[in-house]
Amino acid sequence: MEFVILTGLSGAGKTRAMHAMEDIGFYCVDNLPPALIPVFYDLCDKSEGIQRRVAVVTDTRGGELFKSFFSALETLKAQNKPYKILFMDASEPVLVNRFQETRRKHPLSEAMQGSLEQAVRLEREMLRPVKEVSDYVIDTSNIPAAGLKARISDLFLQNDNDAITVHCISFGFKYGLPLEPTLCLTCAACRTRSTWRSCVNIPALKRPCATT
C-alpha cells in the first residue's frame, strides 16, 4: 500500500495538494490527528486492496494533538509499515499575503495575540523537525495551482497516461453546445458536392469534406 502523510505550513497549499492527489487516485483524509494515523493505516491495509493509495493530512490545526506526530511515525516504523512524508512550504511574505487575501484565521494566531507574522514564524519553528525528516518538500511560493498539480503528478503518478481523462460527447448544434467540453470539433458528412455547396455558409465548417 502506498501511504503518504501530507503536512506543512498553514497556507502553503496542503488543500490543493490533497485535491491533486485525489485526482490521481489517492484516497485522502484531511485534518487527521497524528495518533490516529497508525489506526487508519491498519484500516486501509485490511481493506483487501480497495484502498491501495492513501494520503492523510495532519498539521497544527490539531493543536495539542499534533504533538503526537513523531510518536505516530515511530509506531509505523516499529510495525514495518512504509510511508512517505510530503511537506508543503512557502516563504513568510507569501504566507502572510495569502492569509490576508483569504481573511482566514491562522491556527496559531491566538497563541501570538493575533499577530499573523509571529504565528507564521512560530509554526515554521514548530514544524522544522518535521520538514527535516520529510521525503519530499515542495515550496509553493512561486508555483501556480496548475504547476502544483503537475509537481504532485511527477512525484506520485506512476503512469502519465493516468492523469489524462478524455470524454467524447456527441451532440446536435440545434440543441446548443454542451457546457462541459474544453474542445469542440465540428464534423460534417456530405454525400455529394452539391450538398456541400449548400453548407458552405455555416461558419463552423471551415474546410471542405470528402465526397462519397
Side-chain angles (χ1 to χ4, degrees):
M1 182 176 67
E2 186 175 7
F3 194 87
V4 179
I5 301 173
L6 176 57
T7 187
L9 299 175
S10 301
K14 294 189 298 294
T15 300
R16 286 184 175 179
M18 182 184 70
H19 291 165
M21 297 184 77
E22 286 179 332
D23 289 343
I24 60 175
F26 277 85
Y27 177 74
C28 300
V29 176
D30 190 17
N31 202 15
L32 186 70
L36 295 180
I37 291 178
V39 178
F40 185 68
Y41 195 114
D42 288 336
L43 180 65
C44 295
D45 203 25
K46 296 177 182 177
S47 65
E48 299 181 351
I50 297 177
Q51 305 297 345
R52 301 310 304 169
R53 309 187 79 197
V54 181
V56 297
V57 183
T58 183
D59 50 42
T60 57
R61 286 176 296 172
E64 293 294 320
L65 297 176
F66 189 72
K67 292 183 178 180
S68 62
F69 180 83
F70 284 99
S71 297
L73 298 187
E74 290 299 325
T75 300
L76 294 179
K77 291 178 181 178
Q79 298 173 355
N80 295 319
K81 295 180 177 177
Y83 63 88
K84 297 291 184 181
I85 301 177
L86 172 59
F87 189 92
M88 306 301 295
D89 197 3
S91 66
E92 182 178 323
V94 170
L95 293 175
V96 171
N97 183 60
R98 288 175 181 174
F99 272 98
Q100 289 176 337
E101 286 180 348
T102 60
R103 301 296 181 183
R104 296 208 64 188
K105 183 180 179 181
H106 193 282
L108 303 180
S109 60
E110 290 186 1
M112 293 292 101
Q113 289 75 46
S115 174
L116 178 57
E117 293 184 7
Q118 292 183 18
V120 170
R121 294 186 190 124
L122 175 61
E123 185 179 42
R124 186 182 299 279
E125 189 62 30
M126 289 175 58
L127 295 180
R128 190 180 305 278
V130 178
K131 182 179 179 180
E132 291 175 352
V133 300
S134 297
D135 299 281
Y136 312 105
V137 177
I138 299 180
D139 190 324
T140 63
S141 300
N142 300 307
I143 300 180
L148 177 58
K149 186 173 183 178
R151 184 79 176 97
I152 294 293
S153 297
D154 290 341
L155 289 175
F156 301 106
L157 194 61
Q158 300 174 352
N159 187 347
D160 291 341
N161 294 329
D162 294 339
I164 302 175
T165 303
V166 179
H167 296 278
C168 297
I169 302 174
S170 177
F171 65 94
F173 274 108
K174 66 179 180 179
Y175 301 110
L177 288 172
L179 298 177
E180 306 99 296
T182 49
L183 180 64
C184 181
L185 302 177
T186 301
C187 179
C190 303
R191 301 186 64 180
T192 64
R193 292 189 178 276
S194 60
T195 305
W196 166 252
R197 283 194 290 270
S198 66
C199 298
V200 293
N201 292 325
I202 300 178
L205 302 179
K206 300 298 183 181
R207 301 177 62 182
C209 60
T211 59
T212 58

